[in-house]
Amino acid sequence: MALTVQQRNIIKVTIILSALTILEFILAGTKDGIAGLLGWQPSTVSTLVLLTFLILTIFKAYYIVSEFMHLGHELRRMALSILLPFIFIVWLIIGMMIEGNYYGKLTKQEYDNEIGFQQTNTPDQELFVLKS
Amino acid sequence: MANLSVNPKALVEGERPGLLNASYGKLMMWFFLMSDAFTFSSLLIAYGALRIRSIAQAVPWADPEQVFTHTPILYESFHIEAPLVFVGIMTFILILSSVTMVLAVEAGHRNSKQEVAKWMLWTILGGLTFVICQAYEWYHFIMGHDTGALKVLVENGLGGLRQETALLVAEPGVMAVKNFHGEILATGSTAFSNFINTIDLVEVYIKSGNAAQMVPDLIRYAQEYNAPEVAALLQTGLNEYGAEGMLTHGGANMLVNEYGPPAFANLFFFVTGFHGTHVFSGVVINFIIYINVIKGTYEKRGHYEMVEKVGLYWHFVDLVWVFVFTFFYLI
C-alpha cells in the first residue's frame, strides 16, 4: 500500500515525538552518571537537565499542536487567536514561582503578620484570633 | 445582524467557514480546549509554586525516581525496582493512541469508512490501556514501598504550613530521624533528644514489617537513646491500639505520605486523577463516534469532521500528559 503524503508526515512526527521521549527518559536515568563523568557539580547538571526537559517538552507540545491538532495548517489568524491568550499563563507562571519562593522564605511570625492572624496559646488549646 | 444568524444545519454539517476558515463545531471545540488548558495550567502552576515554597522552606520535595519504581512483572515476579520505566511505557501508549487517532482523521479525509473504524478502535484500546496502567500506578502510589520504618508526623505551628514528615528509623544499635531522601537529620543521644524536643509529635505510624516485635524494640531504643517523649508516645499507642493497630503500610493518603510534603500526594491525586478523567471521557466519546462510524452516519453525511473534533480532544489529552510527565515524573 502506497503511503499518502499525510501518512508520511504522521510517521515523521511520530518518530520525532518518540525520539524526544526516549531522550528525556535516558537523561532522567543518567543525570547522576553524567555529573560524575564530566566532573561537574550535581546541581549544575540538574539545572541543565531541567532546562533541557523544558525545551524538549515545548518541542513535543509544538509538534502535537501543530501537526496532530493541525493548527499549523490553519489560517494564521485562527492559530494566533488560539495561542495568544496563553501569554496570560506565562505571566501566571512567573508570578506564582516568585510568590512561592517568597512565602517559603517567610518565618512563622512574618507569615502570621502577612495573613493577618495572631496566635494565642491557652493551656489546652490553640486559638487563632483575627486581628482587628 | 442578519449575517451573524446561525444556520442550524451548519452546526451539524460543518459548513460556514467564516473569518477563521473553521466550522462552528471545530471552533467551539478549540474554545473548550483553551479553557481546559487554562485549568490544567493552573493546577501545574500550583504544583510549581508549592514545590518552590517547599524548597525555600528547606523541606525536601519528593524525588520521582524514588516514588515511581513499580513496573508490572518486574516488581511482582522479580522484585526489581525500575524507576520511571512504567510511566515511560504509559507515555508511549498515549502517544501511539494519538498517532492512531490522527491516522483515523487522515482516513476520514479519504472517506474510507473501514480504515476510520479500524484506527478509532486502536485509539480506544490505547486509551483503555492507559487508564488501566494509571490504576496500577495509583494502587502502588497509595500502598507505598515495602521497606519498614517508623513514621512521625511533625506539625509546627499553623495548620499545614510547617507540616513536615520524617522517618524515624530503628535498626539494631541505631536510632535515627531521616528525611525522605534517607539523609540523617539526627542521631546519637544528644542530637536526637534535641531534635525531638524542637518538634511536636502528633502521630506515629509503623509502616510495615513485624509490628509486634518492632514496637517494643522501638520503645527500648528510644529509652536507650534518651528520647523519653518518643518512648512515652509509642507506649501510649501500644496501650491504646496494640502493635497491629499501629501498623500502616506507609504509601500515601490526603493527609500524609511517605514520599514528601502532603501537598505532593494531594497534587498527584488531583492532577493525574483529573487527567485520567479526561482520558476516560475521551474513551467514551471516541466509542460513541466509533459506533456512528460503523453505522455509517458520517458516510451518509459525506464527511468525517466529527472524527476530527474528537481527534482534537484526544490530542489535547495527550498534550496535557506530555506536561504532566515532565513536571510530575521527570523534574
Side-chain angles (χ1 to χ4, degrees), chain B residues 199-260:
Chain B
I199 57 177
D200 307 316
L201 290 174
V202 179
E203 270 177 88
V204 179
Y205 300 100
I206 306 287
K207 222 182 105 185
S208 63
N210 188 353
Q213 195 193 330
M214 209 171 159
V215 177
D217 273 359
L218 278 168
I219 294 173
R220 195 159 47 80
Y221 290 136
Q223 279 161 348
E224 274 176 25
Y225 279 95
N226 214 7
E229 298 90 346
V230 180
L233 197 76
L234 284 166
Q235 192 63 54
T236 317
L238 191 62
N239 294 344
E240 263 182 56
Y241 307 109
E244 292 297 324
M246 291 169 77
L247 186 78
T248 70
H249 292 281
N253 57 42
M254 298 303 280
L255 295 175
V256 64
N257 69 77
E258 68 173 82
Y259 314 113

Side-chain angles (χ1 to χ4, degrees), chain A residues 4 6 28 57 77 106 112, chain B residues 19 65 84 106 158 162 326:
Chain A
T4 64
Q6 279 185 323
T57 304
R77 51 176 174 257
L106 289 183
D112 288 349
Chain B
L19 190 65
E65 279 177 45
L84 302 181
E106 193 271 338
L158 252 176
R162 296 284 188 257
T326 302

Side-chain angles (χ1 to χ4, degrees), chain A residues 22-32 34 49 52-53 56:
Chain A
I22 291 170
L23 186 61
E24 283 183 329
F25 184 75
I26 291 172
L27 265 181
T30 57
K31 63 182 170 199
D32 298 335
I34 294 170
V49 168
T52 316
F53 283 155
L56 292 181

Side-chain angles (χ1 to χ4, degrees), chain A residues 48-69:
Chain A
L48 285 176
V49 168
L50 190 143
L51 279 174
T52 316
F53 283 155
L54 290 178
I55 291 164
L56 292 181
T57 304
I58 288 166
F59 264 105
K60 279 159 81 178
Y62 167 78
Y63 277 109
I64 291 172
V65 174
S66 166
E67 297 296 330
F68 284 3
M69 298 173 92

